[in-house]
Amino acid sequence: MKLTSWLLVLAGATLALPGLAQQEGEAEEEQAPPPVFAPERPPSAEQEHPPTGQPDPAGILEQDRMPREPPAPLPQDRALMLQLGGSVAWDSNIFRQSEARAERIHTGYVGLRLDKSYRQQRWFLDVTETAYRYANFSFLDFNALNYRGGWAWHLGPRVSGLLSAERTQALVNYGLFRDTSVRNVRTAERYLATGEGEVATRWHLLGGFVGEEVKYSFAFPQQPSYRARGGEAGLKYLTRVDRYVSFKIIELNADYTDRALDPVALLDDGFRRREAQLAANWRLTGKSSLEARLSHLSYRYPHFTERDFSGNTGMLAFRWGASAKLSLDLALVREMAPWVDNFTSYRVEERASLGAAWEIAARTTLRASVGHTKADYRNPVVPLTGPARSDTGAVAELRAEWRALRNVLFNAGWQHYRQDSNDPTARFAGRIVTLGGSLLF
């Protein structure tokens, strides 16, 4: 059975969990684990910085635009703290080409963290400035300003919401952006204003507004820059904070900011994105939890309907605390995103990953993960003379973390990545070795 079929079957089963929920009177002696994909930082990793300034090959087009929950309290001693760190990495194939070119990358960063609660209100901020410097290809040097901050507000016990803003900057992945002669930095900004109110016992009404902007420092024809505005509305059935099922409609209207209307190539100047989403987060036992999302996604273009597409996407994640020192994570994901050229209108990516974290000593953790991805390029507007492009990828990673002091962390990592394709120019493989450290004070 295909990964997509497994994903939809398992996600559907997970979304049916309320009927199998534990009774309220059942004893639960252990603390509930956090949501699998919660945006909080794991205690053993103060700050995650991609050593090459670009995403891993697996998951390179993940575009989860769903409004996120406010993060859990950060593992810090005071409300306001400063963070410093750096790393050195060696990437054997910096441009993700069949003919590999190696590079050594130095990074250094400084950041500020705020996490302050007062009565029922909470303010949080995580802002970091990172400098990336490349030994051989210095034209890739850049500084990245990333942040996420907001206000998690409450009006009494039954009405709450979130105001937040976030920004991420990273070098594009040259496995997709093929011009290796230029530096292309992607800047993504996102703004949220959401609210949730209890309308009946265990039933909550959801609503909100969302704004997005994605910009490239150099034109990326297949993934143009855009600016979008929209909103969401739905219902949530909540039995406990770690057990809920929700249904939402999310809609975005976007304008491309670096591309004009082109009737010859059927290139539009904007799009409308609509999603009907069913989601669940469920604690199964004191040591395990499930998170699932099942959506129907559609993209509609105002002028050239030939490029319209729709389909099902989803995510299923399982976390199991096998013991006090060992935890396992399994995730299945299916995503769709525009990818515009003569031979493609959109891209479907399916990913499967398995990870483990083992606390081998009181202050030392070993992490290992493997992942597999498959990407299909669909809906050409010019007839194909051969099969449509299809990529498969794999990534394996091993990472060790040593907390020398409570707020001093050292880490070392090794990663192997590979992509195969029926397009000969899209095949590559390589390795990344990283050494780094961070300080929070």
Side-chain angles (χ1 to χ4, degrees):
M1 185 181 292
K2 289 185 177 181
L3 172 61
T4 303
S5 302
W6 277 113
L7 174 63
L8 297 179
V9 170
L10 293 174
T14 303
L15 295 169
L17 280 173
L20 303 175
Q22 297 174 353
Q23 297 299 318
E24 294 297 323
E26 287 184 343
E28 295 178 357
E29 298 177 358
E30 300 187 56
Q31 186 178 1
V36 176
F37 284 165
E40 72 269 13
R41 181 179 296 100
S44 59
E46 295 295 347
Q47 185 75 10
E48 293 294 336
H49 289 272
T52 60
Q54 60 183 20
D56 294 335
I60 47 184
L61 270 189
E62 184 177 2
Q63 296 186 5
D64 184 2
R65 299 187 178 92
M66 300 306 97
R68 301 178 187 176
E69 302 291 335
L74 296 172
Q76 57 190 65
D77 299 326
R78 301 184 306 277
L80 184 64
M81 299 192 75
L82 183 69
Q83 53 187 353
L84 300 172
S87 68
V88 58
W90 177 78
D91 190 332
S92 69
N93 192 353
I94 186 66
F95 291 116
R96 307 300 190 258
Q97 303 286 309
S98 56
E99 296 183 2
R101 287 180 283 178
E103 178 61 292
R104 186 175 70 255
I105 310 101
H106 295 87
T107 66
Y109 64 89
V110 59
L112 191 67
R113 282 213 213 152
L114 170 69
D115 192 346
K116 178 65 176 178
S117 297
Y118 179 73
R119 297 183 184 273
Q120 291 184 315
Q121 314 305 313
R122 178 165 169 253
W123 295 268
F124 56 91
L125 175 66
D126 194 339
V127 57
T128 306
E129 176 82 12
T130 306
Y132 294 90
R133 297 296 181 262
Y134 295 78
N136 300 318
F137 304 101
S138 58
F139 70 91
L140 295 176
D141 293 352
F142 74 103
N143 294 341
L145 175 62
N146 296 334
Y147 61 78
R148 183 170 191 265
W151 170 30
W153 56 267
H154 284 76
L155 294 177
R158 298 190 178 187
V159 181
S160 62
L162 175 67
L163 295 175
S164 71
E166 59 184 294
R167 183 179 195 255
T168 59
Q169 285 189 304
L171 202 65
V172 299
N173 190 295
Y174 284 95
L176 294 175
F177 180 74
R178 310 303 294 174
D179 189 346
T180 62
S181 66
V182 299
R183 178 186 65 224
N184 197 353
V185 177
R186 181 181 188 267
T187 302
E189 297 178 347
R190 194 160 183 270
Y191 307 94
L192 286 178
T194 64
E196 178 176 335
E198 185 178 358
V199 293
T201 303
R202 298 183 180 178
W203 289 95
H204 291 221
L205 185 64
L206 307 175
F209 299 96
V210 58
E212 290 184 0
E213 185 169 5
V214 173
K215 295 180 292 185
Y216 293 91
S217 60
F218 192 88
F220 192 167
Q222 292 81 19
Q223 288 272 290
S225 304
Y226 69 87
R227 184 181 296 112
R229 300 291 183 269
E232 65 168 32
L235 283 172
K236 177 191 284 187
Y237 180 76
L238 182 70
T239 62
R240 291 182 3 169
V241 69
D242 57 356
R243 293 180 185 171
Y244 68 80
V245 175
S246 66
F247 176 77
K248 292 190 288 189
I249 300 293
I250 305 135
E251 187 164 317
L252 284 177
N253 291 296
D255 297 312
Y256 290 122
T257 57
D258 62 354
R259 188 175 74 187
L261 201 68
D262 185 344
V264 177
L266 302 181
L267 300 179
D268 228 307
D269 56 1
F271 62 86
R272 185 177 77 250
R273 181 183 187 274
R274 184 179 178 87
E275 180 173 5
Q277 179 199 101
L278 186 63
N281 194 332
W282 216 256
R283 177 187 174 190
L284 301 178
T285 68
K287 295 183 177 181
S288 61
S289 63
L290 266 175
E291 187 177 357
R293 184 182 74 243
L294 183 61
S295 301
H296 182 77
L297 181 67
S298 67
Y299 276 79
R300 296 291 180 261
Y301 295 92
H303 299 97
F304 307 119
T305 59
E306 293 88 345
R307 291 201 182 270
D308 291 352
F309 68 91
S310 62
N312 296 321
T313 65
M315 177 273 292
L316 179 69
F318 174 70
R319 168 175 289 173
W320 176 40
S323 69
K325 296 185 177 183
L326 177 65
S327 63
L328 301 173
D329 293 272
L330 170 68
L332 303 174
V333 179
R334 186 177 197 265
E335 299 283 359
M336 305 173 70
W339 184 266
V340 182
D341 58 28
N342 287 336
F343 305 107
T344 308
S345 296
Y346 69 100
R347 186 177 189 273
V348 178
E349 183 173 283
E350 297 176 343
R351 303 190 300 275
S353 63
L354 177 64
W358 178 32
E359 186 179 337
I360 59 178
R363 294 183 176 183
T364 305
T365 301
L366 186 65
R367 302 178 185 275
S369 63
V370 293
H372 182 271
T373 182
K374 184 177 187 297
D376 293 320
Y377 295 76
R378 301 182 179 181
N379 193 27
V381 294
V382 173
L384 292 171
T385 58
R389 177 179 166 182
S390 180
D391 303 337
T392 59
V395 59
E397 185 171 12
L398 188 64
R399 184 183 180 92
E401 298 167 352
W402 174 49
R403 186 176 294 275
L405 300 172
R406 173 176 170 79
N407 291 326
V408 178
L409 180 74
F410 295 98
N411 60 73
W414 170 89
Q415 182 190 95
H416 176 77
Y417 56 86
R418 182 181 183 87
Q419 178 171 290
D420 294 310
S421 176
N422 58 3
D423 178 356
T425 65
R427 300 169 185 166
F428 59 84
R431 298 177 305 281
I432 301 174
V433 179
T434 311
L435 292 172
S438 63
L439 169 65
L440 184 69
F441 62 95

